[in-house]
Amino acid sequence: MSKYIFVTGGVTSSLGKGIIAASLAKLLQSRGLKVTIQKFDPYINVDPGTLNPYEHGECFVTDDGAETDLDLGHYERFLNIPTSQANNVTTGRIYQTVINKEREGDYLGKTVQVVPHITDEIKRRMMLLGESGDFDIVITELGGTVGDIESLPFVEAVRQIQWELPEEDCIVVHLTLIPYLKAAKELKTKPTQHSVRLLSQEGVHPNIIVCRTEHPLNEDLKRKIALFCNVKPEAVIEAIDAGTIYEVPLKMFEEGLDVIVLKKLHINGYAAPDLVKWNSFLDKLNHSEKTVNIGLIGKYVELQDAYKSILEAFVHAGAVNLCKVNVVNVHSEFITEDNVAEQLSGLDALLVAPGFGIRGVEGKIEAVKFARENKLPFFGICLGMQMAVIEFARNVIGFTDAHSTEMDTETTHPVIALMEEQKSVTSKGGTMRLGAYQCELAPNSLAHKIYETNEISERHRHRWEFNNQYLNDYINNGMVPSGKNIKEDLVEIIEIKDHPFFIGVQYHPELKSTVENPHPIFVHFVKAAIEHAEKKQKS
Ligand code: GLN
């Protein structure tokens, strides 16, 4: 039987609920408990797959092909275990299920209502992972902020679960903000008091209050929060701003968050936390003396969350190499043939990012050309790989109008073309090639050297694909397919032989990089950037 922890947020959004939930999960996991985290989002989209990155940041894809919230990326990076479709549920998905059931006649003529039908479906999904028997503890993060109209049914579902379960099987952790008023030189507790009161009015009383703050909370302040929010002082946890998100588990450990949680859940005889791997990663991160500048060429670069997993994969790979990766954002829309050298000067490597649509693609193609010709380490992900294929066709093979049919349906050389099974697809939600697929690596290739194995599994999210009609033109000119999906005869990896490091992958390796398992392509790419920087220094 699993125990349940719900994490709610108050006062404002963007407090880092996902990081607090993941940090708590990490600490409990490090004590030998089996933990998973799920996120319930109150918006009406069935999943975030159709959302623009400007709206919602990156879309994280799981092995089973679910398009999910980027917080699931944090869960996987912290816990080093995969999540699945069941770990992310939205209001849209809840309503879709209930409405489908209504159409099937499952409610036997009853009036279908928010309470109990929507709340029952929320509860059913909140308990699903717990009922699998695979976990001791299920942490559920509620998206949104307490008091939002749209989160009311979720809070009601938590209230009912808390009422139904024994007290020691379900607790609520509320994350709030303690703002600092500069003029008064004071930390203010009132917004927290209001937010806890709001939650209580909705019937849920938090057991633990985690306070985001820019300044330390003294004992008096903690007592005050405890008194007015009706919890014991040890249940008031300070969550002070950390240098990196990876320090948060340690800060929560110092504050005793895991111990108070275990106490409230009546879990005894737990082991001391084993954070050896985590600490060794942090140690490397903090003792990285070298720095490399890696250009991230994308069209959403002004929004950090759009490339979250790529940025985190660089943090993991940097630590392995004892090197700080300084990611230099370069907006692909503003790169032209005339300014490319100037825009990309001083960089030790280039990563061309994933993306959709025509905006900024010519800039990406210019960037690939620059990397190829100047022997700058290059790494293309998904659309980035497709741009490398187009660049090679145009400038090496001689197909000057080569393109992807995503951008130009009239091109006489569609080197990137829509996959056969995509041609009849009209619906946008959940219809791409999604999730994990096997890929076989060619012996003696860069990919093989990086992965040190013959077969890999990586996650996909795309509709277009390398067009095999042109395969021989590529091979004859020096671009080789070094990774293939044999079953479907799809090229998944391309590389150039006569180059120190040039690789493009149709899948998203960044989604599988974790603190304990940094992704090997990122690790080798950073290494290639270091070598490039050292060579530059010597010459
Ligand atoms: N737009 C391209 C496709 O659908 C690439 C997608 C991506 O970069 N994730 O194939």
Side-chain angles (χ1 to χ4, degrees):
M1 169 84 190
S2 295
K3 294 185 184 263
Y4 296 86
I5 303 173
F6 292 94
V7 180
T8 57
V11 182
T12 169
S13 58
S14 306
L15 287 183
K17 251 186 311 192
I19 301 296
I20 294 292
S23 299
L24 172 58
K26 184 75 220 170
L27 291 176
L28 297 172
Q29 187 194 49
S30 76
R31 289 182 181 274
L33 293 159
K34 284 181 277 165
V35 190
T36 188
I37 322 182
Q38 53 186 0
K39 177 148 194 210
F40 278 60
D41 274 314
Y43 53 74
I44 293 174
N45 303 64
V46 173
D47 61 43
T50 54
L51 288 170
N52 186 314
Y54 287 124
E55 283 284 314
H56 202 256
E58 164 190 281
C59 175
F60 189 81
V61 182
T62 57
D63 278 335
D64 65 349
E67 296 179 284
T68 73
D69 185 79
L70 57 76
D71 272 336
L72 272 78
H74 291 310
Y75 307 163
E76 289 200 5
R77 286 187 282 272
F78 275 55
L79 293 184
N80 201 36
I81 54 169
T83 53
S84 71
Q85 178 71 73
N87 294 71
N88 192 198
V89 177
T90 67
T91 292
R93 193 170 291 278
I94 300 282
Y95 270 80
Q96 195 180 47
T97 310
V98 171
I99 291 170
N100 286 344
K101 272 171 79 176
E102 186 272 335
R103 294 288 82 184
E104 294 292 319
D106 286 7
Y107 294 108
L108 305 174
K110 285 249 181 278
T111 309
V112 180
Q113 295 179 297
V114 174
V115 182
H117 302 101
I118 293 297
T119 46
D120 278 354
E121 178 59 17
I122 295 175
K123 278 160 61 185
R124 187 184 71 81
R125 291 191 181 251
M126 281 177 168
M127 312 294 282
L128 262 186
L129 286 171
E131 283 158 2
S132 69
D134 295 340
F135 304 104
D136 301 314
I137 294 179
V138 177
I139 300 182
T140 305
E141 180 192 347
L142 285 196
T145 309
V146 164
D148 294 347
I149 292 175
E150 53 191 19
S151 58
L152 276 174
F154 293 92
V155 177
E156 171 60 12
V158 173
R159 184 192 72 75
Q160 292 186 19
I161 291 175
Q162 213 176 13
W163 181 82
E164 284 162 12
L165 291 179
E167 220 168 298
E168 66 276 15
D169 283 353
C170 176
I171 59 167
V172 175
V173 176
H174 188 56
L175 176 66
T176 77
L177 175 72
I178 307 291
Y180 179 73
L181 289 192
K182 234 193 199 154
K185 293 200 179 63
E186 251 187 292
L187 286 161
K188 302 307 260 182
T189 65
K190 194 75 82 189
T192 295
Q193 295 179 41
H194 281 302
S195 141
V196 170
R197 191 170 305 159
L198 205 60
L199 192 57
S200 297
Q201 274 167 10
E202 293 173 13
V204 172
H205 190 74
N207 306 82
I208 296 169
I209 317 259
V210 179
C211 305
R212 266 305 291 274
T213 174
E214 289 172 4
H215 300 273
L217 309 179
N218 60 33
E219 284 312 309
D220 282 351
L221 211 84
K222 279 191 173 179
R223 279 196 77 80
K224 186 175 171 188
I225 296 167
L227 177 65
F228 289 111
C229 297
N230 203 26
V231 295
K232 295 285 178 217
E234 75 256 29
V236 176
I237 303 291
E238 168 194 296
I240 199 157
D241 290 358
T244 89
I245 54 170
Y246 300 108
E247 276 168 26
V248 179
L250 301 187
K251 294 232 182 271
M252 290 302 99
F253 176 67
E254 282 162 25
E255 281 287 303
L257 175 62
D258 53 336
V259 171
I260 179 95
V261 163
L262 291 166
K263 194 168 141 193
K264 293 213 178 281
L265 293 176
H266 293 201
I267 299 177
N268 305 313
Y270 45 81
D274 174 3
L275 289 166
V276 174
K277 282 187 183 162
W278 193 269
N279 284 330
S280 129
F281 157 76
L282 274 180
D283 201 45
K284 286 183 193 150
L285 193 65
N286 295 329
H287 292 95
S288 295
E289 272 145 27
K290 293 175 279 214
T291 301
V292 286
N293 297 313
I294 298 189
L296 173 63
I297 322 295
K299 68 171 172 177
Y300 309 112
V301 287
E302 59 275 43
L303 187 86
Q304 286 302 292
D305 276 356
Y307 301 115
K308 195 82 211 160
S309 293
I310 292 178
L311 299 179
E312 298 307 328
F314 274 133
V315 175
H316 311 152
V320 175
N321 285 292
L322 287 171
C323 174
K324 195 181 163 310
V325 178
N326 178 32
V327 176
V328 181
N329 295 316
V330 187
H331 209 304
S332 54
E333 224 179 330
F334 307 126
I335 302 176
T336 63
E337 193 181 347
D338 296 334
N339 72 14
V340 62
E342 180 199 334
Q343 289 246 4
L344 306 181
S345 71
L347 297 176
D348 303 310
L350 284 192
L351 185 147
V352 177
F356 295 84
I358 196 161
R359 186 167 67 93
V361 299
E362 291 304 324
K364 284 184 173 171
I365 294 170
E366 284 302 336
V368 179
K369 180 167 184 255
F370 184 84
R372 183 178 55 77
E373 291 182 343
N374 293 285
K375 304 245 186 272
L376 196 59
F378 168 83
F379 182 11
I381 299 182
C382 209
L383 186 73
M385 173 263 200
Q386 297 175 355
M387 294 303 112
V389 169
I390 294 167
E391 192 281 324
F392 199 80
R394 288 187 188 177
N395 301 318
V396 179
I397 306 177
F399 300 155
T400 49
D401 78 331
H403 221 317
S404 161
T405 55
E406 179 180 4
M407 331 294 169
D408 177 5
T409 47
E410 303 299 315
T411 173
T412 55
H413 292 96
V415 291
I416 301 292
L418 202 55
M419 280 180 281
E420 206 45 49
E421 73 262 26
Q422 286 289 334
K423 289 187 178 154
S424 55
V425 172
T426 50
S427 163
K428 293 278 181 277
T431 57
M432 283 188 246
R433 181 173 184 235
L434 290 167
Y437 286 92
Q438 298 294 112
C439 168
E440 216 162 273
L441 304 181
N444 303 319
S445 59
L446 174 62
H448 196 276
K449 189 179 141 214
I450 289 172
Y451 281 98
E452 294 178 339
T453 179
N454 298 330
E455 203 179 18
I456 56 167
S457 168
E458 292 279 7
R459 297 179 192 171
H460 294 248
R461 182 174 188 249
H462 61 112
R463 293 185 201 282
W464 277 265
E465 196 65 54
F466 182 94
N467 186 346
N468 279 329
Q469 193 190 322
Y470 299 101
L471 192 55
N472 284 334
D473 297 298
Y474 280 89
I475 294 174
N476 295 339
N477 284 283
M479 180 176 267
V480 294
S482 56
K484 271 192 146 188
N485 177 316
I486 303 294
K487 219 157 102 198
E488 293 164 79
D489 194 24
L490 298 171
V491 173
E492 308 281 37
I493 312 177
I494 52 98
E495 50 191 73
I496 292 179
K497 284 271 175 243
D498 182 25
H499 193 285
F501 191 103
F502 191 106
I503 193 163
V505 297
Q506 186 58 81
Y507 50 83
H508 290 268
E510 72 276 19
L511 303 178
K512 286 185 69 167
S513 188
T514 71
V515 165
E516 287 177 21
N517 273 319
H519 197 284
I521 306 189
F522 279 87
V523 172
H524 281 80
F525 181 52
V526 171
K527 207 159 149 195
I530 296 169
E531 281 162 13
H532 182 88
E534 283 169 355
K535 220 159 56 197
K536 224 169 42 182
Q537 236 170 19
K538 277 187 203 140
S539 64

